[in-house]
Amino acid sequence: MAAPALLLFGLFGLVPLVGVVALGFARWDGLGDLGWAGFDNWSGVLTDGATWQALWLTVKVMVISWLVQTPLALALGLFQAPPGRLRALLAVLWFLPLLLSAVAIGLTWQALLDPSFGVGATPGLHWLAKPLLGSPELALYTVIAVIAWQFVPFHALLYQAGLRQIPVSLYEAAALDGAGPTTRLLRITLPQLKYTVVTSSTLMLVGSLTYFDLIFVLSGGTGGPGTATRVLPLAMYITGFQAHDMGRASAVATLLVVTGLGLSLLTTRLSGFTRMDSQQEGM
Amino acid sequence: MSLTTVSAALALAACGTSGPSTSSSSAGLTMWALNDQTILKESVDAYNKDHPDAKITLRLYANDDYKQKLRVAFGAGQAPDLFFNWGGGALNDYVKADKVDALTDAQVDTGRFTPSVMESATFDGKTYGVPANGLAPVVLYYNKKVLKDAGVEPPTTYDALLTAVKKLKGDGKVPLSLAANSKWPTLMYLEYLLDRTGGSRVFSKIASGDASAWKDPSVTAADQKLQDLAKAGAFGDNASSVSYDQGASTALLYTGKAGMELMGTWEYANLVKAAPDFAKKDLGYVAFPALTDGAGSAKNIVGNPSNFLSLNSASTHKKAALEYLKDYVMNASQMDAYLAAGSVPPVNGLESKLAATPSSSDKEWLTFVYDLVQTAPSFQLSWDQALPSDQADPLLTNVDKSFLRQIEPTQFGENMSEAAQ
């Protein structure tokens, strides 16, 4: 049963990965012949201040996204979890952003945030007519907000599912013991949601390493203004497909893979995900 | 290697599903171009009508991913016979890799094209492309009504431009509409400012590979002028949020929110389409203002001389490709089609055709562009196209940083000199 899956993973996961690592040691402009570059690409990437800036921006996007999205998703999940027609309807509405492609979302927000013709042009909303995407200080936070708009519903759905898994008997027992809503939330709901938080956080953290399409569209393909939103995946794309330096882009790509692997190992280790035991056990 | 080959194969498979079957391309030619090239498409249709057995299969791509797609296709040996390009450094990459054939005068009749345009596709004295659309110098458009209300004459000198900026700003208008989010529109200012300050020789030296030429004092002076304009509020408060592709900078001009806009000649067609009344009544245009203390001629122009069609050296249909380039590109009916669309084809001796243009506003425009190009001592191809492709991104990023005043004018040349090494 596992053989076809392994074969697919090898073909589309491992082979390209090995190819990228190998290409990190090559000089290639995508057109001419491959040449051996040794560690040139690596020393170039690692000594370039732009790489570290891109990595810093990536970490910033990751951490702020987590801080913004987790409480929002949890709150939305808590609201959605109990049965109710209105809640179900609202849940569907919230879910819409997830159905749209990142490009559509990017173009829509770009138009909405246009200071001359977007939302800011509406009478009474002129205070919104700010270069949110154009100011080097604000652009990154604007991007993070749009990312949150797109992904909070997904994580809310995870939390909703997690909440509905909690046995009602726990709450009944707590009610018999005279526990109020706050106590129930802190003593039952949140501990029971532990693994959902871990899952959601891992997806968020590792996922934010790959944010590319949305930022690409919102910044006009450049990671601008200046380099204010040029996260690592965007830097990789620009190096590879605009500057046609495939070797160096592969080195950046490898750096991304290593960061991603390290990060997901770290989150699983810290959260005890590897020793994950049944949530029913404690009962 | 394997990743790019795999992704190349996937990319080609992805575009192949909607395209015609491979059997038709084995008999005829394949050609790749950009989406909006409707007149080019007409020439292909004409060719196909005459050659029903060996038709040209034309595939059109969106602007953004076209260059990447082309590069990957060449890398994977799946490139079309004829391909649309911008000339300059990017085309030279292909020439240096032996991917493009040189074209002789006898093969494609290169003598009919404007010489200054052909320079963008000429390397080491050989021609590697045939012009495939209209002349696209960058000119200064203005809204007659907005300028008149502010008591401003269309600026012909840089000082007059600064005065106009002040008055328009005082009138609550954006003096110069700029899509700085797209970066390349900002570059147009720097191209003109350097050309006017130091003359065309400075960038010629840079383009020939002399990295130290970026440190020429005129580069700093030009960057200083760009920053002065930005500091004076010439581009309004929001330029860095405006992206060109969504048409916002164009709209600012025709809705009267902005006074002027520096843009390529394709903007004329955009304006006619988006606001036909404005284009007839209130649209004005002048050449980029002169710099009284500058070394460069005020008649020099920058922009895209034209786009080109080049021949894949691995093509197995060279004879048919050359026939198409010679007889179907920029032939008499093509020229008429370009003129009718408000675009001047890059061919010599258009005077009589221009005089016969029916619409007076079109005639004025076409004559303006034709004269501008014919009398220009130098027609500098946009820097991001003229330089090798590995310098285009550092260039655009540093121009953007200059515009945002994140770097000092001296730093611009230094950064570029470093990137060019």
Side-chain angles (χ1 to χ4, degrees), chain A residues 15-16 19-20 23 28-32 34 107 110-111 114-117 129-136 218-220 222 224-227 230 237-238 241-244 246, chain B residues 1-4 6 10 64-65 67-68 71-72 74-75 93-94 97 99 181-183 237-238 240-243 246 248-249 251-252 255 257 389-390 393 397 400-401 404 406:
Chain A
V15 170
V20 164
L23 208 52
W28 190 42
D29 66 357
L31 266 187
L34 272 171
L107 288 174
Q110 204 178 35
D114 185 304
S116 321
F117 302 100
K130 295 213 162 48
L132 292 174
L133 283 170
S135 133
L218 284 172
S219 68
T222 60
T227 47
R230 189 171 290 183
Y237 174 83
I238 289 169
F241 291 98
Q242 285 176 7
H244 303 300
M246 293 295 174
Chain B
M1 179 84 195
S2 54
L3 170 74
T4 39
V6 168
L10 288 175
D64 287 342
D65 55 352
K67 276 189 210 169
Q68 284 84 319
R71 189 107 177 180
V72 170
F74 266 102
D93 282 356
Y94 290 85
K99 301 285 186 188
N181 185 274
S182 306
K183 297 188 185 182
D237 300 327
N238 300 323
S240 53
S241 289
V242 179
S243 103
Q246 305 220 5
S249 63
L252 282 171
T255 53
K257 290 183 179 171
S389 45
D390 58 347
D393 175 64
T397 303
D400 199 34
K401 287 187 169 173
L404 295 163
Q406 289 180 331

Side-chain angles (χ1 to χ4, degrees), chain B residues 155-174:
Chain B
T156 53
T157 66
Y158 183 74
D159 294 333
L161 180 69
L162 283 178
T163 315
V165 162
K166 265 187 214 122
K167 284 195 183 163
L168 285 164
K169 204 182 155 208
D171 217 24
K173 304 289 183 189
V174 176

Side-chain angles (χ1 to χ4, degrees), chain A:
Chain A
M1 275 306 278
L6 275 178
L7 192 73
L8 277 179
F9 176 69
L11 195 62
F12 292 105
L14 290 181
V15 170
L17 188 63
V18 172
V20 164
V21 174
L23 208 52
F25 295 94
R27 210 182 299 282
W28 190 42
D29 66 357
L31 266 187
D33 297 325
L34 272 171
W36 174 252
F39 285 92
D40 282 4
N41 292 326
W42 281 97
S43 60
V45 163
L46 295 177
T47 55
D48 189 352
T51 312
W52 297 106
Q53 198 218 356
L55 190 63
W56 167 237
L57 287 178
T58 309
V59 171
K60 224 168 148 182
V61 170
M62 187 159 65
V63 173
I64 302 177
S65 288
W66 186 82
L67 288 175
V68 170
Q69 291 184 31
T70 303
L72 280 177
L74 189 58
L76 262 180
L78 279 168
F79 174 78
Q80 274 167 220
R85 198 174 281 179
L86 181 69
R87 289 171 202 269
L89 183 72
L90 284 173
V92 169
L93 283 178
W94 285 320
F95 208 67
L96 278 178
L98 209 66
L99 303 177
L100 302 172
S101 82
V103 176
I105 292 176
L107 288 174
T108 309
W109 277 97
Q110 204 178 35
L112 284 173
L113 296 175
D114 185 304
S116 321
F117 302 100
V119 181
T122 319
L125 288 176
H126 289 306
W127 53 275
L128 261 175
K130 295 213 162 48
L132 292 174
L133 283 170
S135 133
E137 291 80 31
L138 296 175
L140 191 72
Y141 301 102
T142 312
V143 164
I144 291 173
V146 177
I147 290 175
W149 181 83
Q150 184 184 9
F151 287 107
V152 162
F154 170 74
H155 294 281
L157 198 73
L158 281 183
Y159 283 118
Q160 182 193 351
L163 285 161
R164 289 187 176 168
Q165 294 276 321
I166 303 175
V168 185
S169 54
L170 285 180
Y171 290 103
E172 288 167 354
L176 279 179
D177 291 343
T182 322
T183 316
R184 272 180 281 172
L185 178 73
L186 292 176
R187 291 292 175 80
I188 302 173
T189 311
L190 290 182
Q192 288 287 320
L193 274 181
K194 186 177 152 198
Y195 294 123
T196 314
V197 175
V198 172
T199 309
S200 159
S201 299
T202 311
L203 284 175
M204 244 180 232
L205 295 176
V206 178
S208 59
L209 275 182
T210 59
Y211 287 150
F212 165 77
D213 35 15
L214 197 59
I215 304 183
F216 181 85
V217 176
L218 284 172
S219 68
T222 60
T227 47
T229 60
R230 189 171 290 183
V231 291
L232 211 49
L234 204 51
M236 171 184 81
Y237 174 83
I238 289 169
T239 312
F241 291 98
Q242 285 176 7
H244 303 300
D245 191 343
M246 293 295 174
R248 200 162 164 166
S250 300
V252 179
T254 313
L255 191 66
L256 255 178
V257 171
V258 171
T259 317
L261 274 178
L263 197 72
S264 83
L265 282 178
L266 195 72
T267 43
T268 45
R269 180 65 57 85
L270 284 181
S271 59
F273 203 72
T274 40
R275 287 169 276 113
M276 195 188 263
D277 28 51
S278 164
Q279 293 190 55
Q280 309 283 344
E281 223 168 65
M283 284 182 65

Side-chain angles (χ1 to χ4, degrees), chain B residues 108-115 117-118 130-131 325 329-330 346-348:
Chain B
V108 293
D109 188 12
T110 49
R112 62 197 157 126
F113 302 113
T114 314
V117 169
M118 294 308 285
V130 164
L325 292 179
V329 175
M330 299 292 162
V347 287
N348 297 319

